[in-house]
Amino acid sequence: MTQSAKTVLLDVKEASRSFGGLKALSEVSLHIDTGELIGLIGPNGAGKTTLFNLLTGVYPPSTGSIILNNESIGGMKPYKINHKGAARTFQNIRLFTSMTVLENVKIAFHQHARHSLFTSMLRLPKHFKGEDEITQKAMDILKIFDLDEQSEEVASNLSYGNQRRLEIARALAAGPKLLLLDEPAAGMNPNETRDLMNLIAWIRKEFDLTILLIEHDMSLVMGVCDRIYVLDRGMLIANGTPTEIRSNPKVIEAYLGQEA
Amino acid sequence: MKKLNKNFWVGIIAALAFYGVVQVLLTTGIFTDVTRSMLLLIGVNIMLAVSLNLITGITGQFSIGHAGFMSVGAYTSAILTLDYNVPFVPAIIAGGLLAAVFGVLIGMPTLRLNGDYLAIATLGFGEIIRIIMLNTEYVGGASGLSGIPAKTTWTMLFLFTLITVVVINNFIGSTHGRACIAIRENEIAAEAMGINTTRYKIIAFTIGALFAGMAGGLSAHTFYVITPGSFNFLKSFEIIVMVVLGGLGSTAGSIVGAVFVTLLYTYLREFPEWRMIIYSIVLILMMIFRPSGLLGKTKFSLGKFGKKEAKANDAISENSAP
Amino acid sequence: MEYFIQQLINGISVGSIYALIALGYTMVYGIIKLINFAHGDVFMVGSFIGLYSARYLANAGFPPVVVLILSLVISMTISALLGITVERLAYKPLRKSTRIAALITAIGVSFLLEYTGVLILGPQAQGFPDIMDKKQYTLFGSSIQVESNQVMILLTTIILMIILQYIVRYTKTGKAMRAVSFDVEAARLMGINVDRTISATFAIGSALAAAAGVIFGMTYNSVDPLMGVMPGLKAFVAAVLGGIGSIPGALVGGLLLGTVETEISSLGFSSWRDGVAFAVLILILIFKPSGLFGKNVREKV
């Protein structure tokens, strides 16, 4: 790997996580350079979401370190990690269901709000300025995802595909450097999936993003990802370009073993 | 934003008009003393319901200890006016502030809990406050404090109620209020989106306690006497009934709920057991048939919390992206 | 030292009552994740049924032991039916709602039972008939005294515990209960009748609370419609202390809380007794929410 000219954005060193006696992740090391689009694949129960949960602070790693942008974030609270520049989506969609589409995105801008609690409670001019700014920025994001016309719709009324897209929009609104997408195409048909992948590739360029993408289906990520990490039973078993991964015997075994 | 502003001023003017009419009716003696004390009680209850709604309806932290905050405010302000001759308004505000301190104290440790564990913990705190009052000779023990000057006038009460409603509603309608709603909707997602959930839960408890404390002070200066028993589990329950009846999460609903419960309370004064039976039946039926409450306008329903069925065949048009 | 042991013995009888009520809380919570606030009021109803049965049976001339056993059985049966009815009418429609909605309903049911009681029976306390003569025994030539009632309480609690353990471990219903509390959906798929299992849980829990009610009446000779509130809350504290969802935990939690309270009272702080129970609750919730015997549950992300 030639990383001499590149900067490492995310560096995970021997991160492990156990639940009781069960080792969900053992000594996983990986790194992502700024601007990369990385795939994380593996059979069911391989520990992909657990790794996401470590990266976003849902729980701390049992051992090992996680460095984001030269700063250790292992064990930091999720909201702090978000402030440090990592935002995520969830495998099982977690929208604020009774809030509108617009409000969902506005939440992600909260951390950048410049009007204080006090100004809001007294409705000082700064409150209105701050709120307008947030609304404007949120609408801009919604436009990109073609959700602007449904901005006043309650989130739970959106179609399934649009809910998934709204989740990505919301994560993007937080202004991350690293975007973590947990099976963004789950439940979509091949056409929708391809469209979504194109959208992801597009926002990556437009927003200078680094993306880590979990996908269950190997063939899906082959087209878009620069590199792919493969997890199996909590361990990293392979790492390389899509072509390398495709012919890696360990990967084939993990997947075939799964199907057998 | 302009629309918001307009609604705001319409509301304020309507409230002031209501105030004026009542003031005239009171000074001309058309409203009797009974009506007057009912109106004062309505105001106090609105403050309690709206402040609890911030904690439970907006932030989703179920609290059964609201009467505890009320108690702190009531005792503090009563002692200040009785023993230290502090003027009325500063005494009420001091009561609110001390209650807010309790809000922080209670908020901090219990925030690691959620759902029904938090509910039980708040109940425990409310009871502990009551038992402390019960055992403190300085505040009169079981017989409480009496002879508190009846300084709560209709004008004072109206002002405090209006301020409570406006400030809490302003909070809810801002990015800070949205952060609280996000916690209610999905705490994990809120945290992942950069909301410091602990901070906002404490803020909700603190603001809620502040206004509940002031309500307590106003109530103490209306009814001459306070005892630890005035702020027990039943009182907390009554405030919950108001909020749930009006619709969790709706300020207007809380106001309607507070008015309704106060009327029920006043007219069924002679039949306390019937009152409690009606409360409970209303609560049970409400939860089963209309969990969003009388005015529950938002989609927030206690009933359906899960996500919608997956509809996988929805068109996704990425090409629309510029 | 003797004084301490004396208080310990006194504590065990209060603790047994807490433990019996706590079992119902813990079993219901284990199975449907609901704090059944109305449980303390089932205890109250059980006590009243015990009172009326005991009065009637004693007047009819039955010997004391028969009166005791029959009153217990009648009270437990009717209360079990009450428990099932409450579950069917109030909780079952909310099976798919949030836990807060169910909790609010439970509080509603609790007040409904209490104030229906006040309406029908009046707010004043009623005396519980003396079923058995109270005797004092002195232990080992020391000054430690044991009352016949305390022996009766301990015996009843132990017998009920053995029956409960048998039901939960060896009967089909008990196995179904454990399965449902572990995973409702999986249990359903395995052909377990979930609704019936939940009803059975309520029935057993309510019967135990009723037994506690009868024992309480015999010990304190006074029952009233609001008597369930404090013991109910305390028993809940006991259940949390022991680890909610755990049957041995409820027993240990109840006995522990009972003895702590009695010791506090005996040291002259009886007016702080209730406060201590709640302080224990909050400390446990903050520092070890899973209790002494419970297991940690974490939301799946």
Side-chain angles (χ1 to χ4, degrees), chain A residues 37 195-207 211 224:
Chain A
L37 200 172
D195 291 349
L196 182 74
M197 288 301 165
N198 290 340
L199 176 63
I200 289 170
W202 186 85
I203 55 169
R204 172 198 179 192
K205 279 209 193 76
E206 193 66 17
F207 291 88
I211 298 176
V224 283

Side-chain angles (χ1 to χ4, degrees), chain B residues 47-70 99-100 102-104 106-107 110-111 115 118-119 122 168 171-172 177 180-181 183-185 200-213 239-240 243 248-251 254 300, chain C residues 100:
Chain B
M47 289 175 72
L48 292 169
V50 169
S51 59
L52 179 64
N53 181 51
L54 175 63
I55 299 173
T56 299
I58 296 294
T59 320
Q61 307 301 305
F62 193 50
S63 164
I64 332 183
H66 214 51
F69 298 136
M70 193 190 172
F102 272 75
V104 179
I106 292 170
T110 48
L111 287 168
L118 176 72
T122 53
I168 290 185
F171 174 81
I172 295 171
C180 290
I181 298 174
I183 295 172
R184 175 192 79 193
E185 296 282 296
Y200 275 98
K201 284 186 202 171
I202 293 179
I203 287 175
F205 263 100
T206 310
I207 298 177
L210 172 75
F211 289 107
I239 308 169
I240 292 170
V243 176
L248 276 168
S250 153
T251 305
S254 297
F300 170 57
Chain C
I100 287 187

Side-chain angles (χ1 to χ4, degrees), chain A residues 58 77-79 82-83 86-88 90 92-99 103 106-111 113 115-117 120-123 127-128 131-132 134 143-146 154 156-163 165 170-171 174 187-189 192 194-196 198-199 202, chain B residues 1 4-5 8 166-200 203 207 211 298-301 304-322:
Chain A
V58 175
K77 285 238 184 194
Y79 78 91
N82 181 281
H83 294 182
R88 74 178 287 184
F90 295 89
N92 47 343
I93 306 176
R94 283 181 178 272
L95 289 172
F96 308 119
T97 42
S98 73
M99 297 171 96
E103 285 168 338
K106 279 179 169 181
I107 288 293
F109 282 113
H110 175 75
Q111 53 181 292
H115 50 301
S116 69
L117 195 69
S120 277
M121 290 207 284
L122 298 183
R123 287 280 144 108
H127 160 84
F128 292 103
E131 289 287 323
D132 282 353
I134 290 179
K143 269 194 195 106
I144 295 171
F145 285 80
D146 205 22
V154 172
S156 59
N157 286 353
L158 287 186
S159 67
Y160 175 78
N162 278 344
Q163 290 194 16
R165 287 150 54 95
R170 187 180 66 179
M188 293 183 177
N189 67 31
E192 291 165 350
R194 186 174 31 80
D195 291 349
L196 182 74
N198 290 340
L199 176 63
W202 186 85
Chain B
M1 173 199 129
L4 254 170
N5 245 342
F8 174 76
V166 168
V167 168
I168 290 185
N169 221 25
N170 283 351
F171 174 81
I172 295 171
S174 72
T175 187
H176 308 286
R178 275 199 303 277
C180 290
I181 298 174
I183 295 172
R184 175 192 79 193
E185 296 282 296
N186 197 321
E187 193 170 338
I188 289 171
E191 180 97 19
M193 284 304 117
I195 305 291
N196 184 346
T197 51
T198 311
R199 175 163 180 259
Y200 275 98
I203 287 175
I207 298 177
F211 289 107
T298 53
K299 287 285 291 177
F300 170 57
S301 85
K304 316 258 172 352
F305 218 50
K307 58 179 184 216
K308 287 266 150 36
E309 289 299 312
K311 283 186 241 146
N313 55 348
D314 287 311
I316 312 262
S317 46
E318 101 298 351
N319 291 330
S320 53

Side-chain angles (χ1 to χ4, degrees), chain B residues 113 117 131 135 234 237 280 302, chain C residues 98 107-108 111 244 271 275 285:
Chain B
L113 311 167
Y117 277 78
I131 290 161
N135 285 290
L234 279 180
F237 175 67
S280 14
L302 287 159
Chain C
T98 54
I107 297 176
F111 281 96
I244 200 142
S271 56
L285 284 178

Side-chain angles (χ1 to χ4, degrees), chain B residues 20-310:
Chain B
V21 171
V22 171
Q23 182 64 23
V24 168
L25 289 172
L26 282 173
T27 42
T28 52
I30 296 174
F31 273 179
T32 58
D33 271 1
V34 178
T35 317
R36 182 176 171 278
S37 56
M38 188 177 80
L39 281 167
L40 296 184
L41 191 57
I42 285 178
V44 167
N45 281 340
I46 288 176
M47 289 175 72
L48 292 169
V50 169
S51 59
L52 179 64
N53 181 51
L54 175 63
I55 299 173
T56 299
I58 296 294
T59 320
Q61 307 301 305
F62 193 50
S63 164
I64 332 183
H66 214 51
F69 298 136
M70 193 190 172
S71 165
V72 173
Y75 273 97
T76 310
S77 59
I79 288 169
L80 288 177
T81 49
L82 277 176
D83 295 357
Y84 297 94
N85 290 320
V86 174
F88 176 66
V89 173
I92 297 294
I93 291 172
L97 289 176
L98 193 63
V101 171
F102 272 75
V104 179
L105 291 178
I106 292 170
M108 274 200 293
T110 48
L111 287 168
R112 292 171 51 182
L113 311 167
N114 42 34
D116 26 37
Y117 277 78
L118 176 72
I120 289 296
T122 53
L123 186 150
F125 268 115
E127 286 297 294
I128 288 174
I129 290 176
R130 184 177 67 82
I131 290 161
I132 290 174
M133 300 301 185
L134 201 60
N135 285 290
T136 310
E137 270 318 305
Y138 182 64
V139 296
S143 49
L145 295 171
S146 53
I148 304 162
K151 285 184 176 167
T152 307
T153 60
W154 161 246
T155 307
M156 273 300 160
L157 187 96
F158 177 83
L159 279 176
F160 272 103
T161 311
L162 189 68
I163 290 169
T164 307
V165 173
V166 168
V167 168
I168 290 185
N169 221 25
N170 283 351
F171 174 81
I172 295 171
S174 72
T175 187
H176 308 286
R178 275 199 303 277
C180 290
I181 298 174
I183 295 172
R184 175 192 79 193
E185 296 282 296
N186 197 321
E187 193 170 338
I188 289 171
E191 180 97 19
M193 284 304 117
I195 305 291
N196 184 346
T197 51
T198 311
R199 175 163 180 259
Y200 275 98
K201 284 186 202 171
I202 293 179
I203 287 175
F205 263 100
T206 310
I207 298 177
L210 172 75
F211 289 107
M214 296 204 274
L218 291 166
S219 138
H221 290 83
T222 307
F223 301 107
Y224 315 103
V225 183
I226 48 173
T227 64
S230 337
F231 310 105
N232 58 9
F233 176 44
L234 279 180
K235 184 65 197 177
S236 294
F237 175 67
E238 198 175 76
I239 308 169
I240 292 170
V241 176
M242 297 173 204
V243 176
V244 170
L245 193 66
L248 276 168
S250 153
T251 305
S254 297
I255 296 172
V256 172
V259 173
F260 182 86
V261 167
T262 316
L263 292 178
L264 203 66
Y265 177 88
T266 312
Y267 290 113
L268 290 178
R269 199 163 260 250
E270 306 294 313
F271 315 98
E273 59 275 5
W274 277 111
R275 193 179 81 223
M276 293 308 294
I277 290 173
I278 292 173
Y279 282 175
S280 14
I281 292 176
V282 162
L283 215 55
I284 297 169
L285 294 180
M286 210 73 185
M287 282 299 108
I288 297 177
F289 297 108
R290 201 176 155 74
S292 54
L294 290 176
L295 294 195
K297 59 168 172 36
T298 53
K299 287 285 291 177
F300 170 57
S301 85
L302 287 159
K304 316 258 172 352
F305 218 50
K307 58 179 184 216
K308 287 266 150 36
E309 289 299 312

Side-chain angles (χ1 to χ4, degrees), chain C:
Chain C
M1 190 61 203
E2 280 183 3
Y3 181 74
F4 182 81
I5 294 174
Q6 179 69 57
Q7 294 309 323
L8 197 69
I9 290 172
N10 296 346
I12 287 172
S13 28
V14 189
S16 302
I17 292 171
Y18 289 159
L20 284 173
I21 310 175
L23 283 168
Y25 272 118
T26 227
M27 286 164 67
V28 166
Y29 193 90
I31 211 154
I32 55 170
K33 301 285 172 289
L34 166 73
I35 298 174
N36 180 15
F37 257 100
H39 194 60
D41 305 299
V42 173
F43 157 83
M44 174 273 289
V45 172
S47 193
F48 268 102
I49 297 171
L51 179 146
Y52 288 114
S53 335
R55 253 188 215 162
Y56 180 81
L57 293 167
N59 284 342
F62 286 96
V65 179
V66 179
V67 173
L68 171 65
I69 294 175
L70 275 182
S71 310
L72 268 175
V73 170
I74 294 170
S75 164
M76 288 171 75
T77 313
I78 298 180
S79 302
L81 292 175
L82 174 70
I84 295 176
T85 315
V86 164
E87 194 274 324
R88 281 287 145 109
L89 292 181
Y91 303 149
K92 196 166 169 237
L94 292 164
R95 204 69 61 73
K96 294 207 164 60
S97 308
T98 54
R99 283 156 73 171
I100 287 187
L103 191 64
I104 293 174
T105 310
I107 297 176
V109 173
S110 165
F111 281 96
L112 187 61
L113 289 176
E114 283 163 21
Y115 288 91
T116 311
V118 174
L119 197 67
I120 298 173
L121 305 163
Q124 66 284 8
Q126 303 192 23
F128 204 92
D130 282 321
I131 300 176
M132 287 196 269
D133 292 332
K134 285 183 183 165
K135 286 182 202 143
Q136 299 267 353
Y137 306 101
T138 311
L139 278 192
F140 320 120
S142 60
S143 66
I144 299 170
Q145 300 217 314
V146 180
E147 283 175 32
S148 55
N149 238 323
Q150 294 173 323
V151 178
M152 186 272 302
I153 290 177
L154 205 60
L155 271 179
T156 315
T157 310
I158 291 170
I159 293 170
L160 289 173
M161 284 294 171
I162 293 171
I163 297 175
L164 180 68
Q165 276 300 325
Y166 174 78
I167 293 176
V168 172
R169 296 240 162 250
Y170 302 107
T171 64
K172 221 176 144 186
T173 314
K175 285 175 187 164
M177 278 163 54
R178 282 189 288 154
V180 174
S181 72
F182 193 73
D183 188 334
V184 180
E185 281 316 308
R188 202 191 303 276
L189 290 172
M190 300 315 287
I192 289 170
N193 185 335
V194 172
D195 285 340
R196 214 168 63 201
T197 309
I198 293 174
S199 292
T201 311
F202 271 87
I204 296 171
S206 304
L208 292 170
V214 176
I215 293 173
F216 183 95
M218 290 174 64
T219 313
Y220 298 99
N221 286 328
S222 156
V223 292
D224 69 272
L226 301 184
M227 66 185 267
V229 180
M230 266 301 153
L233 289 175
K234 301 279 188 60
F236 179 76
V237 175
V240 173
L241 180 62
I244 200 142
S246 152
I247 290 177
L251 182 64
V252 174
L255 292 175
L256 209 58
L257 187 64
T259 36
V260 168
E261 277 195 7
T262 317
E263 296 291 346
I264 299 265
S265 301
S266 75
L267 293 173
F269 299 105
S270 56
S271 56
W272 289 96
R273 197 187 56 200
D274 296 349
V276 169
F278 288 112
V280 166
L281 170 77
I282 286 160
L283 291 177
I284 282 280
L285 284 178
I286 292 167
F287 294 108
K288 198 164 181 347
S290 57
L292 301 173
F293 292 83
K295 37 188 191 299
N296 267 314
V297 191
R298 164 189 287 285
E299 188 177 358
K300 197 168 158 51
V301 180

Side-chain angles (χ1 to χ4, degrees), chain A residues 37-69:
Chain A
L37 200 172
I38 302 292
L40 178 64
I41 64 171
N44 269 329
K48 299 174 303 241
T49 298
T50 305
L51 180 58
F52 261 37
N53 286 344
L54 290 194
L55 296 180
T56 54
V58 175
Y59 27 75
S62 306
T63 57
S65 72
I66 302 170
I67 314 268
L68 176 72
N69 216 8

